[in-house]
Amino acid sequence: MACILLDIDGVLHVSGDPIPGAVDAVAGLRRSGHALRFVTNNSTRPRSRLAEELREMGFTLEDDELQTTPSTAARELAGKRVLALVMAAVVPDLEGLELVGHDAEAVLIGGCDETLEPNQVFSYMNLARAFEEIQMGASFYCLHKSKWWQTSRGPMLDSGAFISGLEYATGVEATVLGKPSPSYFAAALDALDAEPERTWLVTDDVEADVRGARLFGMRTALVRTGKFRPEALESADPSPDIVVSSVAQFPALLEEDLTGGGTP
C-alpha cells in the first residue's frame, strides 16, 4: 500500500466545485487501503471549516486528516509575540501565539481569499508595519509563498507578491511554513508514519510542490486541473513522475505502478 498526500485547491475542487471524479477517486483510494493525508496551503479558513466544506462536497475525511498551515504556525511560533497579517477566520487556529500590533518577535504573513478582506489585511499601512517590525529584528515567516491560485473566475493574485516585496525591502528571506517546505512535508509523513520513497504527492503546482516533494524524496503526480499550465510543465526541473488529466485517473495509474503493470 502507498501513502498519499492530496493537495486540495485545484486537485479536489476549484472554488468549491469538485473536480469531476475526484470524490470517487478518493473513496477508491481509501477502499484500496492506502493511507491518505489532505494537505493544503489554504490559510483563509480554519481547519474545521475546510474539512466540513470537503465533506459537503462529498469527500469523507476527519478533521485531523487535514493538515493546514495555521496549525503549523501555531506549533512553530508558540509563545511568541507575533504581528500576523492573516484572514480573520484563521485566527482561532493560531492559538498559543500572542498576536500584537507592535514590538513583535515575529511577523507572519498569510494568504489571500476571494473576498474583499485582503484589501484590508494587506493594506499599505499593514505592510509598512510589517516592514518596520522586520527591520527592528522580528523574524519573518509566511504560511506559504504562492504567487497565484486558480478560481472559477480565473487566476487570482496571492500573497507571495507581498512577501517578495517585503523580502526585497528588508533584505530578509521569509521562512515558509507550508508547502513546499521540508518541515511541512516531514510533519505530513510523520502523521502517516510514512517514508518519502513510498509516498506520493498529488498536486496541480509543478513549480513549487513538485520540486519540493521530489527534493524531499517523494514521488509526484501532477494533475492537469487547477493552476496547471502546459508551459510550466515544459520548463519544470525536476519533472513530476506522472502527469494525469485529473485526480480521477490517479488511482488506476497508482495500482499499475504497485502491481508492476506500468512504470510512471
Side-chain angles (χ1 to χ4, degrees):
M1 297 299 101
C3 296
I4 303 163
L5 308 184
L6 291 164
D7 192 8
I8 295 177
D9 292 287
V11 174
L12 301 186
H13 72 88
V14 173
S15 293
D17 295 324
I19 300 294
V23 171
D24 290 340
V26 173
L29 291 170
R30 285 198 187 278
R31 285 195 302 270
S32 297
H34 302 300
L36 306 183
R37 190 154 183 82
F38 299 82
V39 294
T40 180
N41 274 346
N42 186 302
S43 59
T44 63
R45 298 187 296 287
R47 183 173 73 167
S48 59
R49 191 186 305 175
L50 290 172
E52 183 59 32
E53 289 172 355
L54 288 172
R55 287 190 287 267
E56 291 173 354
M57 294 178 210
F59 297 98
T60 300
L61 77 157
E62 300 296 329
D63 288 9
D64 60 7
E65 292 181 289
L66 175 58
Q67 182 168 315
T68 64
T69 52
S71 58
T72 302
R75 290 192 302 271
E76 181 74 22
L77 302 176
K80 292 185 180 297
R81 292 173 53 86
V82 179
L83 173 67
L85 303 189
V86 300
M87 301 295 108
V90 303
V91 170
D93 282 356
L94 297 177
E95 185 178 2
L97 309 187
E98 183 182 353
L99 301 182
V100 299
H102 57 83
D103 298 327
E105 297 174 90
V107 168
L108 176 66
I109 308 295
C112 299
D113 63 14
E114 296 182 52
T115 72
L116 296 177
E117 190 176 359
N119 293 344
Q120 286 77 47
V121 174
F122 301 110
S123 67
Y124 175 81
M125 181 178 69
N126 285 345
L127 290 171
R129 181 73 257 168
F131 166 78
E132 292 175 16
E133 294 294 331
I134 296 168
Q135 288 286 81
M136 291 188 292
S139 302
F140 186 15
Y141 293 87
C142 59
L143 296 181
H144 62 75
K145 204 175 177 182
S146 297
K147 301 174 185 176
W148 62 280
W149 84 102
Q150 185 68 29
T151 74
S152 58
R153 293 183 288 165
M156 290 192 69
L157 182 71
D158 213 334
S159 59
F162 309 127
I163 295 160
S164 293
L166 286 170
E167 289 178 328
Y168 172 73
T170 63
V172 177
E173 184 175 355
T175 297
V176 180
L177 297 174
K179 298 185 286 99
S181 71
S183 60
Y184 186 90
F185 286 139
L189 267 60
D190 285 346
L192 296 177
D193 193 23
E195 297 297 329
E197 58 270 15
R198 58 183 290 266
T199 302
W200 286 82
L201 173 68
V202 184
T203 181
D204 64 337
D205 189 340
V206 69
E207 295 179 320
D209 287 358
V210 167
R211 178 175 175 78
R214 289 292 303 273
L215 290 174
F216 198 74
M218 291 188 287
R219 304 183 74 182
T220 56
L222 179 70
V223 297
R224 294 178 176 269
T225 55
K227 68 188 300 181
F228 172 84
R229 296 293 185 271
E231 59 272 19
L233 175 59
E234 291 173 5
S235 61
D237 183 25
S239 300
D241 292 280
I242 59 173
V243 181
V244 294
S245 296
S246 77
V247 69
Q249 283 72 52
F250 175 69
L253 289 177
L254 175 64
E255 185 63 25
E256 287 184 5
D257 179 56
L258 292 174
T259 59
T263 305

